[in-house]
Amino acid sequence: MTAAIIAHLLELSAFIAALFYYRKNKSKPTFYLMLFLGFTVCVEILGWYTILMDSGYLSFLKNSVFQKNYWLFNIYGIISYLFYINYFKWHLTSRDSVRILNFSSLLLIVVSLAEIAFSNDFFNIFLPIFRLLGTFLVLLSISLYYLELLRSEQILQVQKSLPFYVSVGALIFHLCTTPLFIYSSYFSNSIDPGFVRLYTLVIFGTNYLFYSIYIAGFLICSRKKDPYFPRKNF
């Protein structure tokens, strides 16, 4: 419980840091990043309804499809992947790269809806197919961003650029957590207590690092002029 509270406090701190940064560096990508972090905080708070249900409140949800909160985080996962794909797309100037990521967003939506429609596990586990695809597409978008960064003069000022910090945090988070989300059906002490310990350690440890990088990025970049200016393709 303490680990979860710390993780949520870091999420909230990242959102507050985003608000602080946006006041000094207003751009549409930053605005949507700020909104996404605020949305994340709200989803995490809403996800606690299962604890209220176990405590006697919301008891009417017991034995219903909403007894577990997998459905909520499956929806959030789709939105999260789409956000990151488009966030890095907004920092690209190559038309071919932009087209690739536009197609990637459409592909993710189609695959996600198909998996929800044809799978019986939407309410029971983290759906694996769209998570594998989403992670691959996020890594693709980050790779295209890095490739363009290496070809530009911005590489000399990368420490001043917020998208770079976002890319590092997103890269670490998705690489570390996706395998565990896929095997989340084992998240039960009665099934595999060893997996539960590993799952808890990695998820909370990754969240600590993930949001710490975001907070550091906001604070560092708020004191410097960001070399990035929103591109016309946004």
Side-chain angles (χ1 to χ4, degrees), residues 109-121:
I109 291 173
V110 172
V111 171
S112 299
L113 292 178
E115 187 172 18
I116 291 172
F118 296 105
S119 172
N120 296 322
D121 294 322

Side-chain angles (χ1 to χ4, degrees), residues 29-44:
T30 302
F31 175 72
Y32 286 117
L33 174 60
M34 178 184 65
L35 286 184
F36 174 72
L37 291 174
F39 174 68
T40 299
V41 172
C42 293
V43 169
E44 292 288 352

Side-chain angles (χ1 to χ4, degrees), residues 50-106:
T50 54
I51 296 177
L52 294 176
M53 184 181 62
D54 294 336
S55 300
Y57 301 97
L58 304 178
S59 58
F60 61 91
L61 292 177
K62 285 189 174 182
N63 301 318
S64 73
V65 293
F66 299 105
Q67 182 171 347
K68 299 178 181 179
N69 58 17
Y70 287 113
W71 65 274
L72 176 64
F73 289 102
N74 278 326
I75 295 173
Y76 171 79
I78 298 171
I79 296 172
S80 176
Y81 291 131
L82 288 173
F83 167 75
Y84 281 112
I85 292 169
N86 285 278
Y87 179 81
F88 293 108
K89 181 191 74 176
W90 297 331
H91 293 83
L92 298 176
T93 57
S94 168
R95 291 185 177 181
D96 288 338
S97 296
V98 170
R99 290 193 189 99
I100 290 172
L101 295 187
N102 282 334
F103 175 77
S104 298
S105 295
L106 180 60

Side-chain angles (χ1 to χ4, degrees), residues 14 33 36-37 40 76-77 79-89 91 131-132 134-143 145-146 161-179 181 206-215 217-218:
L33 174 60
F36 174 72
L37 291 174
T40 299
Y76 171 79
I79 296 172
S80 176
Y81 291 131
L82 288 173
F83 167 75
Y84 281 112
I85 292 169
N86 285 278
Y87 179 81
F88 293 108
K89 181 191 74 176
H91 293 83
R131 288 193 175 275
L132 281 172
T135 298
F136 171 77
L137 295 178
V138 169
L139 297 182
L140 173 64
S141 64
I142 293 174
S143 298
Y145 164 70
Y146 284 161
S161 181
L162 180 63
F164 176 73
Y165 293 94
V166 174
S167 70
V168 173
L171 193 63
I172 293 173
F173 179 82
H174 288 95
L175 285 177
C176 293
T177 61
T178 298
F181 287 146
T206 303
N207 271 278
Y208 296 160
L209 181 59
F210 173 61
Y211 287 109
S212 295
I213 291 172
Y214 273 35
I215 293 169
F218 285 126

Side-chain angles (χ1 to χ4, degrees), residues 5 9 131 158 202 213 228:
I5 292 174
L9 287 176
R131 288 193 175 275
V158 70
V202 174
I213 291 172
Y228 164 73

